[in-house]
Coordinates of all heavy atoms in Angstrom, one line a residue:
M1 N 39.4 103.6 80.2 CA 40.7 103.9 79.4 C 40.7 102.9 78.2 O 41.0 103.3 77.1 CB 42.0 103.9 80.2 CG 43.1 104.5 79.5 SD 42.8 106.1 78.8 CE 44.5 106.5 78.3
N2 N 40.7 101.6 78.5 CA 40.9 100.6 77.5 C 39.8 100.7 76.5 O 39.8 100.5 75.4 CB 40.8 99.3 78.2 CG 42.1 98.8 78.7 OD1 43.2 99.4 78.4 ND2 42.2 97.9 79.5
I3 N 38.5 101.0 77.0 CA 37.3 101.1 76.1 C 37.6 102.3 75.1 O 37.3 102.2 73.9 CB 36.0 101.4 77.0 CG1 35.7 100.2 77.6 CG2 34.9 101.9 76.0 CD1 34.6 100.4 78.7
E4 N 38.2 103.4 75.5 CA 38.5 104.5 74.6 C 39.5 104.1 73.5 O 39.3 104.4 72.4 CB 38.9 105.8 75.4 CG 37.9 106.4 76.3 CD 38.5 107.6 77.0 OE1 39.7 107.8 76.8 OE2 37.8 108.1 77.9
I5 N 40.3 103.3 73.9 CA 41.4 102.9 73.0 C 40.8 102.0 71.9 O 41.0 102.0 70.7 CB 42.6 102.3 73.6 CG1 43.4 103.3 74.5 CG2 43.6 101.5 72.7 CD1 44.4 102.6 75.4
T6 N 40.0 101.1 72.4 CA 39.3 100.0 71.5 C 38.5 100.8 70.5 O 38.4 100.5 69.3 CB 38.5 99.1 72.3 OG1 39.3 98.5 73.2 CG2 37.9 98.1 71.4
T7 N 37.7 101.8 71.0 CA 36.8 102.5 70.1 C 37.5 103.3 69.0 O 37.2 103.3 67.8 CB 36.0 103.6 71.0 OG1 35.3 102.9 71.9 CG2 34.9 104.3 70.1
L8 N 38.6 104.0 69.4 CA 39.5 104.6 68.4 C 40.0 103.7 67.3 O 39.9 103.9 66.2 CB 40.7 105.2 69.3 CG 40.5 106.7 69.7 CD1 41.8 107.2 70.5 CD2 40.2 107.6 68.5
A9 N 40.4 102.6 67.9 CA 40.9 101.6 66.9 C 39.9 101.1 66.0 O 40.3 100.9 64.7 CB 41.7 100.4 67.6
D10 N 38.8 100.8 66.4 CA 37.7 100.5 65.6 C 37.2 101.4 64.6 O 36.7 101.0 63.4 CB 36.5 100.0 66.4 CG 36.8 98.6 67.2 OD1 37.6 98.0 66.9 OD2 35.9 98.5 68.0
T11 N 37.3 102.7 64.7 CA 36.8 103.6 63.8 C 38.0 104.2 62.9 O 37.6 104.9 62.0 CB 36.2 104.7 64.5 OG1 37.1 105.3 65.5 CG2 34.9 104.3 65.3
E12 N 39.1 103.7 63.2 CA 40.3 104.2 62.4 C 40.0 103.7 61.0 O 39.8 102.7 60.6 CB 41.7 103.7 62.9 CG 42.9 104.1 62.2 CD 44.0 103.3 62.8 OE1 43.9 102.6 63.7 OE2 45.1 103.6 62.2
V13 N 40.5 104.7 60.0 CA 40.2 104.3 58.6 C 41.6 103.6 58.2 O 42.6 104.2 58.2 CB 40.2 105.5 57.7 CG1 40.2 105.2 56.3 CG2 38.9 106.3 58.0
S14 N 41.3 102.3 57.9 CA 42.6 101.4 57.5 C 42.1 100.3 56.5 O 40.9 99.8 56.7 CB 43.2 100.8 58.7 OG 43.9 99.7 58.4
C15 N 42.9 100.1 55.6 CA 42.6 98.9 54.7 C 42.5 97.6 55.4 O 41.6 96.7 55.0 CB 43.6 98.8 53.5 SG 43.7 100.4 52.5
A16 N 43.1 97.6 56.7 CA 43.1 96.3 57.2 C 41.9 96.0 58.0 O 41.5 94.9 58.3 CB 44.2 96.3 58.5
N17 N 40.9 97.1 58.2 CA 39.6 96.8 58.8 C 38.4 97.2 57.8 O 37.5 97.6 58.2 CB 39.5 97.6 60.1 CG 39.6 99.1 59.9 OD1 39.4 99.6 58.7 ND2 39.9 99.9 61.0
C18 N 38.6 96.9 56.5 CA 37.7 97.4 55.6 C 37.2 96.2 54.6 O 36.2 96.5 54.0 CB 38.3 98.4 54.7 SG 37.5 99.1 53.3
E19 N 37.8 95.2 54.5 CA 37.4 94.1 53.6 C 37.4 94.6 52.1 O 36.6 94.2 51.4 CB 36.0 93.5 54.0 CG 36.2 92.8 55.3 CD 34.9 92.0 55.7 OE1 33.9 92.0 55.0 OE2 34.9 91.2 56.7
A20 N 38.2 95.5 51.8 CA 38.5 95.8 50.4 C 37.2 96.3 49.7 O 37.0 95.8 48.5 CB 39.2 94.7 49.6
C21 N 36.4 97.1 50.4 CA 35.1 97.4 49.8 C 35.4 98.3 48.5 O 34.6 98.2 47.5 CB 34.1 98.2 50.7 SG 34.9 99.6 51.6
C22 N 36.6 98.9 48.2 CA 36.7 99.7 47.1 C 37.1 98.8 45.8 O 36.8 99.1 44.7 CB 37.8 100.8 47.2 SG 39.4 100.0 47.7
C23 N 37.3 97.5 46.2 CA 37.6 96.5 45.2 C 36.3 95.9 44.6 O 36.3 94.9 43.9 CB 38.6 95.4 45.6 SG 40.2 96.2 46.1
R24 N 35.2 96.4 45.1 CA 33.8 95.9 44.5 C 33.3 97.0 43.5 O 32.2 96.8 42.9 CB 32.8 95.7 45.6 CG 33.3 94.7 46.7 CD 32.2 94.4 47.7 NE 31.0 93.8 47.0 CZ 30.1 93.0 47.6 NH1 30.4 92.7 48.8 NH2 29.2 92.4 47.0
L25 N 34.1 98.2 43.4 CA 33.6 99.1 42.3 C 34.0 98.8 41.0 O 34.8 97.9 40.8 CB 34.4 100.4 42.8 CG 33.9 101.1 44.1 CD1 35.0 102.3 44.4 CD2 32.5 101.5 44.2
E26 N 33.3 99.4 40.0 CA 33.7 99.2 38.7 C 35.0 99.9 38.4 O 35.1 101.1 38.8 CB 32.7 99.7 37.7 CG 33.1 99.4 36.2 CD 31.9 99.7 35.2 OE1 31.8 100.9 34.8 OE2 31.2 98.8 34.9
V27 N 36.0 99.2 37.8 CA 37.4 99.9 37.6 C 37.6 99.8 36.2 O 37.7 98.8 35.5 CB 38.5 99.1 38.4 CG1 39.9 99.6 38.0 CG2 38.2 99.1 39.9
M28 N 37.5 101.1 35.6 CA 37.9 101.2 34.2 C 39.3 101.1 34.0 O 40.1 101.6 34.8 CB 37.3 102.4 33.6 CG 35.8 102.4 33.5 SD 35.1 104.2 33.1 CE 35.9 104.2 31.6
I29 N 39.7 100.5 32.8 CA 41.2 100.4 32.6 C 41.3 101.4 31.4 O 41.0 101.2 30.3 CB 41.6 98.9 32.1 CG1 41.3 98.0 33.2 CG2 43.0 99.0 31.6 CD1 41.6 96.5 32.8
I30 N 42.1 102.6 31.8 CA 42.3 103.6 30.7 C 43.7 103.9 30.4 O 44.0 104.5 29.4 CB 41.6 104.9 31.4 CG1 42.3 105.1 32.8 CG2 40.1 104.8 31.4 CD1 41.8 106.5 33.4
T31 N 44.6 103.1 31.0 CA 46.0 103.1 30.5 C 46.5 101.6 30.6 O 45.9 100.8 31.4 CB 46.8 104.0 31.4 OG1 46.8 103.5 32.8 CG2 46.4 105.3 31.4
D32 N 47.6 101.2 30.0 CA 48.1 100.0 30.1 C 49.1 99.9 31.2 O 50.2 100.4 31.1 CB 48.8 99.6 28.7 CG 49.3 98.2 28.7 OD1 49.1 97.6 29.6 OD2 49.9 97.9 27.7
T33 N 48.7 99.3 32.2 CA 49.7 99.0 33.5 C 50.0 97.7 33.5 O 50.7 97.2 34.4 CB 49.0 99.5 34.7 OG1 47.8 98.9 34.8 CG2 48.7 101.0 34.7
G34 N 49.7 96.8 32.5 CA 50.1 95.5 32.5 C 49.2 94.4 33.1 O 49.4 93.3 33.4
V35 N 47.8 94.8 33.3 CA 46.9 93.9 33.9 C 46.7 92.8 33.0 O 46.6 92.9 31.7 CB 45.6 94.7 34.0 CG1 44.5 93.6 34.5 CG2 45.6 95.8 34.8
P36 N 46.8 91.5 33.6 CA 46.8 90.3 32.9 C 45.4 90.2 32.1 O 44.3 90.5 32.7 CB 47.0 89.1 33.8 CG 47.7 89.8 34.9 CD 47.3 91.3 34.9
D37 N 45.5 89.6 30.9 CA 44.1 89.6 30.0 C 43.1 88.9 30.9 O 41.8 89.3 30.7 CB 44.4 88.9 28.8 CG 45.2 89.8 27.9 OD1 45.3 90.9 28.0 OD2 45.8 89.3 26.8
N38 N 43.4 87.9 31.7 CA 42.3 87.1 32.2 C 41.4 87.9 33.3 O 40.6 87.3 33.8 CB 42.9 85.7 32.8 CG 43.9 85.9 33.8 OD1 44.9 86.8 33.4 ND2 44.0 85.2 34.9
Y39 N 42.1 89.0 33.7 CA 41.3 89.8 34.7 C 40.6 90.9 34.0 O 40.1 91.8 34.7 CB 42.3 90.4 35.7 CG 42.9 89.3 36.6 CD1 44.2 89.3 36.8 CD2 42.1 88.4 37.2 CE1 44.9 88.4 37.7 CE2 42.6 87.5 38.0 CZ 44.0 87.4 38.2 OH 44.6 86.5 39.1
I40 N 40.7 91.1 32.7 CA 40.0 92.2 31.9 C 38.7 91.7 31.4 O 38.6 90.7 30.7 CB 40.9 92.7 30.9 CG1 42.2 93.2 31.5 CG2 40.3 93.8 30.1 CD1 43.3 93.7 30.7
K41 N 37.7 92.6 31.5 CA 36.4 92.4 30.9 C 36.2 93.5 29.8 O 36.4 94.7 30.1 CB 35.2 92.5 31.8 CG 33.8 92.2 31.3 CD 32.9 92.4 32.5 CE 31.4 92.5 31.9 NZ 30.4 92.9 33.1
T42 N 35.9 93.2 28.5 CA 35.8 94.0 27.4 C 34.4 94.1 27.1 O 33.6 93.0 26.8 CB 36.6 93.7 26.3 OG1 38.0 93.5 26.6 CG2 36.6 94.6 25.2
D43 N 33.7 95.3 27.0 CA 32.3 95.3 26.6 C 32.3 95.4 25.1 O 33.3 95.5 24.3 CB 31.7 96.6 27.2 CG 32.1 97.9 26.9 OD1 32.8 98.0 25.7 OD2 32.0 98.9 27.6
R44 N 31.1 95.5 24.5 CA 30.8 95.5 23.1 C 31.3 96.7 22.4 O 31.6 96.6 21.2 CB 29.3 95.3 22.8 CG 28.4 96.5 23.1 CD 27.1 96.5 22.7 NE 26.3 95.8 23.9 CZ 25.0 95.7 24.0 NH1 24.3 96.3 22.9 NH2 24.4 95.3 25.0
W45 N 31.6 97.7 23.0 CA 32.2 98.9 22.6 C 33.8 99.0 22.6 O 34.5 100.0 22.2 CB 31.5 100.2 23.0 CG 30.1 100.4 22.8 CD1 29.4 100.5 21.7 CD2 29.1 99.9 23.8 NE1 28.1 100.5 21.9 CE2 27.9 100.1 23.2 CE3 29.1 99.5 25.0 CZ2 26.6 99.8 23.8 CZ3 28.0 99.3 25.7 CH2 26.7 99.3 25.1
G46 N 34.3 98.0 23.3 CA 35.8 98.0 23.4 C 36.2 98.5 24.7 O 37.4 98.5 25.0
G47 N 35.2 98.9 25.5 CA 35.7 99.4 26.8 C 36.2 98.3 27.7 O 35.5 97.3 27.7
Q48 N 37.3 98.6 28.6 CA 37.8 97.6 29.4 C 37.6 98.0 30.8 O 37.8 99.0 31.1 CB 39.2 97.4 29.1 CG 39.4 96.7 27.6 CD 40.9 96.4 27.4 OE1 41.8 97.2 27.7 NE2 41.2 95.4 26.8
T49 N 37.1 96.9 31.6 CA 37.2 97.1 33.1 C 37.8 95.8 33.7 O 38.0 94.9 33.1 CB 35.7 97.3 33.5 OG1 35.0 96.1 33.1 CG2 35.0 98.5 33.1
M50 N 38.0 96.1 35.0 CA 38.5 94.9 35.9 C 37.2 93.9 35.9 O 36.2 94.2 36.2 CB 38.9 95.1 37.1 CG 40.3 95.9 37.2 SD 41.6 94.9 36.5 CE 41.8 93.5 37.5
A51 N 37.6 92.6 35.6 CA 36.4 91.7 35.8 C 36.2 91.5 37.2 O 36.9 91.6 38.0 CB 36.9 90.3 35.1
R52 N 34.8 91.2 37.5 CA 34.4 90.9 38.9 C 33.8 89.6 38.9 O 33.0 89.1 38.1 CB 33.4 92.0 39.4 CG 34.2 93.3 39.7 CD 33.2 94.3 40.3 NE 32.4 94.9 39.2 CZ 31.6 95.8 39.3 NH1 31.3 96.3 40.6 NH2 30.9 96.3 38.3
L53 N 33.9 88.9 40.1 CA 33.3 87.5 40.2 C 31.9 87.6 40.8 O 31.5 88.8 41.1 CB 34.2 86.6 41.1 CG 35.7 86.5 40.7 CD1 36.4 85.4 41.5 CD2 35.7 86.0 39.0
D54 N 31.2 86.5 40.9 CA 29.9 86.6 41.3 C 29.7 87.1 42.7 O 28.6 87.7 43.1 CB 29.2 85.0 41.5 CG 29.0 84.6 40.0 OD1 29.0 85.4 39.1 OD2 28.9 83.2 39.9
D55 N 30.7 87.1 43.6 CA 30.7 87.7 44.9 C 30.8 89.2 44.8 O 30.6 89.9 45.8 CB 31.6 87.2 45.8 CG 33.1 87.5 45.4 OD1 33.4 88.2 44.4 OD2 34.0 86.6 46.0
G56 N 31.0 89.8 43.7 CA 31.0 91.2 43.6 C 32.4 91.9 43.6 O 32.6 93.0 43.2
W57 N 33.4 91.2 44.1 CA 34.8 91.7 44.3 C 35.5 91.5 42.9 O 35.2 90.5 42.2 CB 35.6 91.0 45.4 CG 35.3 91.7 46.7 CD1 35.9 92.8 47.2 CD2 34.5 91.2 47.7 NE1 35.5 93.2 48.4 CE2 34.6 92.2 48.8 CE3 33.7 90.2 47.9 CZ2 34.0 92.0 49.9 CZ3 33.0 90.0 49.1 CH2 33.2 91.0 50.2
C58 N 36.5 92.4 42.6 CA 37.5 92.2 41.5 C 38.0 90.8 41.5 O 38.4 90.2 42.5 CB 38.5 93.3 41.7 SG 39.8 93.2 40.5
A59 N 38.2 90.3 40.3 CA 38.7 89.0 40.0 C 40.2 88.8 40.6 O 40.8 87.8 40.8 CB 38.6 88.6 38.5
A60 N 40.9 90.1 40.7 CA 42.3 90.0 41.0 C 42.4 90.1 42.5 O 43.7 90.1 43.0 CB 43.1 91.1 40.4
L61 N 41.5 90.1 43.2 CA 41.6 90.0 44.7 C 41.7 88.7 45.4 O 40.9 87.9 45.0 CB 40.4 90.8 45.3 CG 40.3 91.0 46.9 CD1 41.3 92.2 47.1 CD2 38.9 91.4 47.4
D62 N 42.6 88.6 46.2 CA 42.8 87.4 46.8 C 41.9 87.3 48.0 O 41.8 88.0 48.9 CB 44.2 87.2 47.5 CG 44.5 85.9 48.3 OD1 43.6 85.4 49.0 OD2 45.6 85.4 48.1
R63 N 40.9 86.3 47.9 CA 39.7 86.1 48.9 C 40.1 85.9 50.3 O 39.4 86.1 51.1 CB 38.6 85.2 48.3 CG 37.6 85.9 47.5 CD 38.1 86.5 46.3 NE 37.0 87.0 45.5 CZ 37.2 87.7 44.2 NH1 38.4 88.1 44.0 NH2 36.1 88.2 43.7
N64 N 41.3 85.3 50.5 CA 41.8 84.9 51.7 C 42.4 86.0 52.4 O 42.1 86.4 53.6 CB 42.8 83.7 51.7 CG 41.9 82.5 51.1 OD1 40.8 82.1 51.5 ND2 42.6 81.9 50.3
T65 N 43.2 86.8 51.8 CA 44.1 87.8 52.4 C 43.4 89.2 52.2 O 43.7 90.2 52.8 CB 45.4 87.9 51.8 OG1 45.4 88.4 50.4 CG2 46.1 86.6 52.0
M66 N 42.4 89.3 51.2 CA 41.7 90.6 50.9 C 42.8 91.6 50.4 O 42.7 92.7 50.5 CB 40.9 91.1 51.8 CG 39.9 90.2 52.3 SD 38.7 89.5 51.1 CE 37.6 90.9 50.9
R67 N 43.8 90.9 49.7 CA 44.8 91.8 49.0 C 44.9 91.7 47.6 O 44.5 90.6 47.0 CB 46.3 91.5 49.6 CG 46.4 92.0 51.0 CD 47.8 91.5 51.6 NE 47.9 92.1 52.9 CZ 48.5 93.2 53.2 NH1 49.0 93.9 52.2 NH2 48.7 93.7 54.4
C68 N 45.3 92.6 46.9 CA 45.4 92.7 45.3 C 46.6 91.7 45.0 O 47.7 91.9 45.5 CB 45.6 94.0 44.9 SG 45.9 94.3 43.1
T69 N 46.2 90.8 44.1 CA 47.3 89.8 43.6 C 48.0 90.5 42.5 O 49.0 89.8 42.0 CB 46.7 88.6 43.2 OG1 45.7 88.9 42.0 CG2 45.9 87.9 44.3
I70 N 47.7 91.5 41.9 CA 48.3 92.1 40.8 C 49.0 93.6 41.1 O 49.0 94.5 40.2 CB 47.6 92.1 39.5 CG1 46.2 92.9 39.7 CG2 47.3 90.8 39.0 CD1 45.7 93.3 38.4
Y71 N 49.2 93.8 42.4 CA 49.5 95.1 42.9 C 50.3 96.0 42.0 O 50.1 97.2 41.8 CB 50.0 95.0 44.4 CG 50.2 96.3 45.1 CD1 49.0 96.8 45.6 CD2 51.2 97.1 45.2 CE1 49.0 98.0 46.3 CE2 51.4 98.3 45.8 CZ 50.2 98.9 46.4 OH 50.2 100.1 47.1
E72 N 51.4 95.4 41.6 CA 52.4 96.1 40.7 C 52.0 96.5 39.4 O 52.3 97.4 38.7 CB 53.8 95.4 40.6 CG 54.5 95.0 41.8 CD 54.8 96.3 42.5 OE1 55.2 97.2 41.9 OE2 54.8 96.4 43.8
K73 N 50.8 95.7 38.9 CA 50.2 96.0 37.7 C 48.8 96.5 37.7 O 48.2 96.5 36.7 CB 50.2 94.7 36.8 CG 51.7 94.1 36.6 CD 51.6 92.8 35.8 CE 53.1 92.3 35.5 NZ 53.0 91.1 34.7
R74 N 48.4 96.9 39.0 CA 47.1 97.3 39.1 C 46.8 98.6 38.2 O 47.7 99.4 37.9 CB 46.7 97.6 40.5 CG 47.5 98.8 41.2 CD 47.3 98.7 42.7 NE 47.9 100.0 43.4 CZ 49.1 100.3 43.5 NH1 50.1 99.6 42.8 NH2 49.4 101.5 44.0
P75 N 45.4 98.8 38.0 CA 45.0 99.9 36.9 C 45.3 101.2 37.6 O 45.4 101.3 38.9 CB 43.6 99.8 36.8 CG 43.3 98.3 37.0 CD 44.3 97.9 38.1
L76 N 45.4 102.2 36.8 CA 45.5 103.6 37.2 C 44.7 104.0 38.3 O 44.9 104.7 39.4 CB 45.6 104.6 36.1 CG 45.8 106.1 36.4 CD1 47.4 106.3 36.9 CD2 45.6 106.8 35.1
I77 N 43.3 103.7 38.1 CA 42.3 104.1 39.0 C 42.5 103.7 40.4 O 42.3 104.3 41.4 CB 40.8 103.7 38.6 CG1 40.6 104.7 37.3 CG2 39.8 103.7 39.5 CD1 39.3 104.3 36.6
C78 N 43.0 102.4 40.4 CA 43.3 101.8 41.8 C 44.5 102.5 42.5 O 44.6 102.6 43.6 CB 43.6 100.2 41.7 SG 42.4 99.3 40.9
R79 N 45.5 102.9 41.6 CA 46.6 103.7 42.1 C 46.2 105.0 42.7 O 46.8 105.5 43.6 CB 47.6 103.8 41.1 CG 48.2 102.5 40.4 CD 49.0 102.7 39.2 NE 49.3 101.4 38.7 CZ 50.5 100.8 38.6 NH1 51.5 101.4 38.9 NH2 50.4 99.6 38.0
E80 N 45.2 105.5 42.2 CA 44.8 106.9 42.5 C 43.7 106.8 43.6 O 43.5 107.8 44.2 CB 44.3 107.7 41.3 CG 45.5 107.9 40.3 CD 44.9 108.9 39.1 OE1 43.9 108.8 38.8 OE2 45.8 109.5 38.6
F81 N 43.3 105.8 43.9 CA 42.2 105.7 45.0 C 42.9 105.6 46.4 O 43.5 104.6 46.7 CB 41.3 104.4 44.9 CG 40.2 104.5 45.6 CD1 38.9 104.7 45.0 CD2 40.0 104.1 47.0 CE1 37.7 104.7 45.7 CE2 38.9 104.1 47.5 CZ 37.7 104.4 47.1
E82 N 42.9 106.7 47.0 CA 43.7 106.7 48.3 C 42.9 106.5 49.6 O 41.9 107.1 49.6 CB 44.6 108.1 48.3 CG 45.5 108.2 47.2 CD 46.3 109.5 47.5 OE1 46.4 110.0 48.7 OE2 46.9 109.9 46.5
M83 N 43.5 105.8 50.3 CA 43.0 105.5 51.8 C 42.7 106.8 52.4 O 43.6 107.6 52.5 CB 43.9 104.6 52.5 CG 43.2 104.1 53.9 SD 44.4 103.1 54.7 CE 45.4 104.3 55.5
G84 N 41.5 107.0 53.0 CA 41.1 108.1 53.8 C 40.7 109.3 53.1 O 40.3 110.1 53.6
E85 N 40.7 109.2 51.7 CA 40.2 110.3 50.8 C 38.6 110.2 50.8 O 38.1 109.1 51.3 CB 40.7 110.0 49.4 CG 42.1 110.4 49.4 CD 42.5 111.9 49.6 OE1 42.0 112.8 48.8 OE2 43.5 112.2 50.4
T86 N 38.0 111.1 50.2 CA 36.5 111.3 50.2 C 35.8 110.0 49.6 O 35.0 109.4 50.3 CB 36.1 112.5 49.4 OG1 36.8 113.6 49.9 CG2 34.6 112.7 49.6
E87 N 36.3 109.5 48.6 CA 35.7 108.3 47.9 C 35.8 107.0 48.8 O 35.0 106.2 49.0 CB 36.3 108.0 46.6 CG 36.0 108.8 45.5 CD 36.6 108.7 44.2 OE1 37.9 108.5 44.2 OE2 35.9 108.4 43.2
C88 N 37.0 106.9 49.5 CA 37.2 105.9 50.4 C 36.3 105.9 51.6 O 35.6 104.8 52.0 CB 38.7 105.9 50.9 SG 39.1 104.9 52.5
I89 N 36.1 107.0 52.2 CA 35.2 107.2 53.3 C 33.8 106.8 52.8 O 33.0 106.2 53.7 CB 35.2 108.7 53.9 CG1 36.7 108.9 54.2 CG2 34.3 108.7 55.1 CD1 37.3 108.2 55.4
A90 N 33.4 107.2 51.6 CA 32.1 107.0 51.2 C 31.8 105.6 51.0 O 30.7 105.0 51.4 CB 32.0 107.8 49.9
E91 N 32.9 104.9 50.4 CA 32.7 103.4 50.2 C 32.5 102.6 51.4 O 31.8 101.6 51.7 CB 33.9 102.8 49.3 CG 33.7 103.2 47.9 CD 32.2 102.9 47.3 OE1 31.8 101.8 47.6 OE2 31.7 103.8 46.8
R92 N 33.4 103.0 52.4 CA 33.2 102.4 53.7 C 32.0 102.6 54.4 O 31.4 101.6 55.0 CB 34.5 102.9 54.7 CG 35.8 102.5 54.3 CD 36.9 103.3 55.1 NE 36.7 102.8 56.4 CZ 37.5 101.9 57.0 NH1 38.3 101.2 56.4 NH2 37.4 101.7 58.4
A93 N 31.5 103.7 54.3 CA 30.0 104.1 54.8 C 29.0 103.2 54.1 O 28.0 102.7 54.8 CB 29.7 105.5 54.7
N94 N 29.3 102.9 52.9 CA 28.2 102.2 52.1 C 28.2 100.7 52.6 O 27.2 99.9 52.5 CB 28.4 102.1 50.6 CG 28.0 103.5 50.0 OD1 27.2 104.2 50.6 ND2 28.5 103.7 49.0
Ligands
SF4_1 S1 41.3 102.3 50.2 FE1 39.6 102.8 51.6 S2 37.9 101.7 50.7 FE2 39.7 100.7 49.8 S3 40.3 99.0 51.1 FE3 41.4 100.7 51.7 S4 40.1 101.7 53.5 FE4 38.9 100.3 52.2
SF4_2 S1 43.0 95.4 40.6 FE1 43.7 95.2 42.7 S2 43.3 97.1 43.8 FE2 42.3 97.1 41.8 S3 40.1 96.5 42.3 FE3 41.3 94.8 41.7 S4 42.1 93.9 43.6 FE4 41.4 95.9 43.9

């Protein structure tokens, strides 16, 4: 019985057991939500994305808590990326 409960908990889709894998994706900034400039990378054509550090994760991610440090100002794409949706499941599988 305990084994079944443990197995269920381990496979449950939750940001708490994911290590923020979606925060390693390229995040385009398409609306102004107030992301601080130091987290924005601008390409030669003026396109803006969230900057990522050498470890691959978004620069705005707290590496200790694996939580977004600019949650209230996070880009639209981050707001629309929902836990448990198809893209989330795909990223977890990767
Ligand atoms: S939304 Fe999905 S992929 Fe992103 S941290 Fe949460 S569980 Fe992981
Ligand atoms: S802005 Fe926040 S939610 Fe969006 S990728 Fe960066 S850390 Fe993740």
Side-chain angles (χ1 to χ4, degrees):
M1 187 65 173
N2 279 343
I3 292 172
E4 287 177 7
I5 291 170
T6 301
T7 303
L8 269 177
D10 285 349
T11 56
E12 180 186 356
V13 176
S14 165
C15 296
N17 62 17
C18 173
E19 296 190 349
C21 50
C22 59
C23 296
R24 299 186 68 151
L25 296 171
E26 180 171 89
V27 175
M28 292 174 60
I29 299 174
I30 51 179
T31 59
D32 182 7
T33 57
V35 175
D37 288 344
N38 55 317
Y39 292 132
I40 296 175
K41 180 179 164 190
T42 304
D43 67 24
R44 72 179 89 164
W45 300 282
Q48 295 185 316
T49 56
M50 289 301 296
R52 285 181 284 181
L53 303 186
D54 289 344
D55 61 10
W57 273 281
C58 174
L61 185 75
D62 183 318
R63 267 61 177 171
N64 294 316
T65 63
M66 303 305 278
R67 289 177 174 268
C68 179
T69 60
I70 58 162
Y71 191 77
E72 297 301 324
K73 297 179 178 179
R74 69 196 188 285
L76 180 64
I77 286 176
C78 302
R79 295 165 195 253
E80 293 185 335
F81 195 103
E82 291 189 27
M83 187 184 80
E85 294 287 306
T86 306
E87 287 177 302
C88 163
I89 301 299
E91 282 312 307
R92 290 173 63 93
N94 285 340

